[in-house]
Amino acid sequence: MVLKQYYLGCLAHASYLVADPAAGVAAVVDPQRDVDGYVADARALGCRIGHVILTHFHADFLAGHLELRDREGAAISLGARAAAEYAFTPLGDGAMIAVGAVRLEAIETPGHSPESISLLVHAPDGDPARPHALLSGDTLFVGDVGRPDLRASLGWAAEDLAGLLYDSLHDKLMRLPDATLVYPAHGSGSLCGRSLSKETVSTIGAQRRDNYALQPMSRAQFVALVTADQPETPTYFTYDAVLNTRERPTLEEALAEELRPLALDEALAWARDGARLLDTRDPADFAAAHLAGSLNIGLGGSYATWAGTLLEPGRPIVIVAWPGAEREAATRLGRIGFDAVAGYLDGGMGALTGAPGLVGSFDRLSPGALAEALDDESPPLVLDVRSPAEHGGDGIAGSANIPLTRLAGRAGELPPDAPVVVCCGSGYRSAIAASLLRAGGREAVTDLAGGLAAWRLWRSSASAGAAWA
């Protein structure tokens, strides 16, 4: 038996290949949309991917079940409560999928979503009472459980799903042997929970002992606990959850339409017609020179998550990237179902040679430069775009707080003529925010390079120097 975990760091997403090389067959669970890795590994094992299973309709990414169906002929399986436009096999409690001599046993575990299932992995000749592993989807994470509030816009009350989640965990998963390995669909950084561990594998026994949500408590106490203080839901989550139920083009088909080089005049024409100019380079490169009016979301950070949060599904996108990075930029948008890419600026910023009037730029401030500016008679407004909880914990004295998720709708709250310096934890979100404000017409905007991490380090060094002096 082969059980391999694939971890996609930018989406904190784990997927799985289960294979029986002797039988030449494999299954994939919760695949990402670009499926080359699974296919290549199955081929290397001498296997064909005969099954693809979704533990639920994921909200944070577009799954690759249709890609594997069309490319490999894989049969799609979903939970018995699922409804979808494409043909699938419904899996209720106890339903078995044979992957050669390996057996995958479904357990209905509603709570994170109504159609959620988990999968027990039974090794060949293994004791049925002692499964090798649990592929827990978004029901049980390492250190957390799935949040129950992501289907609110589709008519499900968080409290109702939380009650179902309690039953799924306590009546089903917590009855498994302590030695059962736990392989979840997400790790730290995912917004499908709030306290996920950096570890991507655990055991039922360890989770029973250490997971805060599995400690002894009543059903009512559990419901109150898991519905309180959940992070803000990205706007694209409902879009992706619904799109995962639909028949739609594969990623390969979408990229064939999207990866079109656009001359500068074509890119500008798309922008005039409402397309978003998306610059995917690093913040320092963007600040040094960019096509005026662009939004900067760098490939070096949580690119897809912030693109999904700040861009509108279906609105055309023109990618501005370093030459050679266009496919990565479009593919990572495709992972969240944002397939409305009109093309990419041919030659990247090189296309603007000879057109200086279209080039924007600004200086990012170092911590020392910001400290000097704050001592001026007319200091800039410092805008912290972290979440309110982050801002309340620490920050620059006197800073205003508008989370990046809300900035587009609340930019009018900023004093119209005040120079603004944007800050966040590392400088990634602040660079996005500065580009958003500048694209909206504010010119006196910059950001703190390195974010508050750099600010704290500079303050600490300055204090140490003063003490030594």
Side-chain angles (χ1 to χ4, degrees):
M1 180 180 75
V2 173
L3 171 56
K4 179 175 180 179
Q5 182 185 74
Y6 300 76
Y7 196 76
L8 185 61
C10 60
L11 289 173
H13 164 222
S15 54
Y16 300 91
L17 176 75
V18 181
D20 180 351
V25 64
V28 178
V29 179
D30 291 332
Q32 63 192 59
R33 196 179 177 197
D34 42 325
V35 299
D36 288 353
Y38 314 115
V39 174
D41 287 348
R43 292 281 189 276
L45 293 168
C47 294
R48 181 185 69 85
I49 298 173
H51 301 275
V52 56
I53 308 161
L54 302 190
T55 57
H56 63 290
F57 295 126
H58 295 273
D60 57 319
F61 69 94
L62 195 59
H65 50 301
L66 301 187
E67 283 74 9
L68 288 171
R69 179 199 66 184
D70 290 359
R71 185 163 167 180
E72 294 287 287
I76 300 172
S77 295
L78 306 171
R81 302 188 190 193
E85 293 180 353
Y86 43 83
F88 68 91
T89 299
L91 301 178
D93 276 324
M96 291 282 189
I97 293 178
V99 183
V102 182
R103 290 161 297 137
L104 300 179
E105 179 183 355
I107 309 173
E108 292 187 75
T109 50
H112 175 69
S113 70
E115 78 286 348
S116 287
I117 58 172
S118 300
L119 296 169
L120 291 174
V121 181
H122 295 282
D125 301 322
D127 181 351
R130 297 183 177 278
H132 173 71
L134 173 74
L135 306 183
S136 58
D138 284 16
T139 298
L140 175 62
F141 298 127
V142 179
D144 205 351
V145 295
R147 57 189 291 186
D149 61 318
L150 297 184
R151 297 298 178 90
S153 62
L154 298 177
W156 285 87
E159 291 76 13
D160 293 340
L161 285 176
L164 294 175
L165 182 61
Y166 179 89
D167 297 338
S168 295
L169 291 165
H170 289 272
D171 296 345
K172 295 182 177 180
L173 300 192
M174 289 302 100
R175 295 187 178 184
L176 296 171
D178 281 353
T180 307
L181 295 171
V182 175
Y183 288 100
H186 289 294
S188 179
S190 169
L191 290 173
C192 292
R194 61 185 176 193
S195 302
L196 283 73
S197 170
K198 293 181 180 178
E199 302 298 322
T200 61
V201 62
S202 183
T203 64
I204 288 291
Q207 292 310 296
R208 193 194 317 276
R209 181 186 67 239
D210 300 332
N211 192 313
Y212 78 95
L214 299 179
Q215 302 313 300
M217 69 185 79
S218 69
R219 194 173 193 264
Q221 289 172 322
F222 177 88
V223 169
L225 178 66
V226 301
T227 55
D229 301 322
Q230 289 288 0
E232 186 175 5
T233 305
T235 54
Y236 76 95
F237 270 29
T238 297
Y239 171 76
D240 273 16
V242 172
L243 194 54
N244 273 317
T245 72
R246 293 180 174 166
E247 191 72 49
R248 41 82 183 162
T250 65
L251 179 62
E252 184 177 356
E253 291 168 338
L255 291 177
E257 294 292 324
E258 295 171 0
L259 291 174
R260 295 192 298 253
L262 301 175
L264 178 59
D265 59 347
E266 293 178 288
L268 295 175
W270 274 102
R272 285 193 298 270
D273 288 340
R276 173 70 83 174
L277 299 171
L278 177 62
D279 192 315
T280 67
R281 298 172 302 146
D282 289 341
D285 297 316
F286 179 84
H290 57 267
L291 178 55
S294 300
L295 177 67
N296 176 222
I297 306 178
L299 290 171
S302 298
Y303 166 76
T305 299
W306 283 111
T309 299
L310 298 176
L311 304 178
E312 302 89 349
R315 180 178 177 180
I317 298 167
V318 173
I319 292 171
V320 181
W322 288 112
E326 303 91 356
R327 174 172 286 273
E328 179 187 358
T331 297
R332 289 173 65 179
L333 290 174
R335 287 175 180 163
I336 60 168
F338 278 53
D339 289 348
V341 174
Y344 61 89
L345 181 61
D346 193 14
M349 286 300 295
L352 276 73
T353 301
L358 298 176
V359 178
S361 66
F362 59 94
D363 293 325
R364 307 182 79 199
L365 292 186
S366 67
L370 176 58
E372 291 181 9
L374 292 176
D375 285 337
D376 287 347
E377 292 184 2
S378 300
L381 171 68
V382 177
L383 175 63
D384 191 327
V385 294
R386 297 177 299 163
S387 69
E390 291 174 289
H391 181 253
D394 67 338
I396 296 175
S399 60
N401 177 226
I402 301 177
L404 178 54
T405 54
R406 304 286 183 176
L407 184 57
R410 294 179 56 188
E413 297 176 16
L414 300 173
D417 299 323
V420 175
V421 178
V422 191
C423 69
C424 68
S426 68
Y428 185 76
R429 282 175 287 179
S430 66
I432 298 172
S435 72
L436 183 65
L437 291 173
R438 295 180 72 89
R442 295 187 70 102
E443 296 184 358
V445 179
T446 185
D447 76 315
L448 175 62
L452 290 167
W455 174 261
R456 295 186 201 102
L457 183 62
W458 178 83
R459 291 289 298 269
S460 176
S461 300
S463 298
W468 177 257

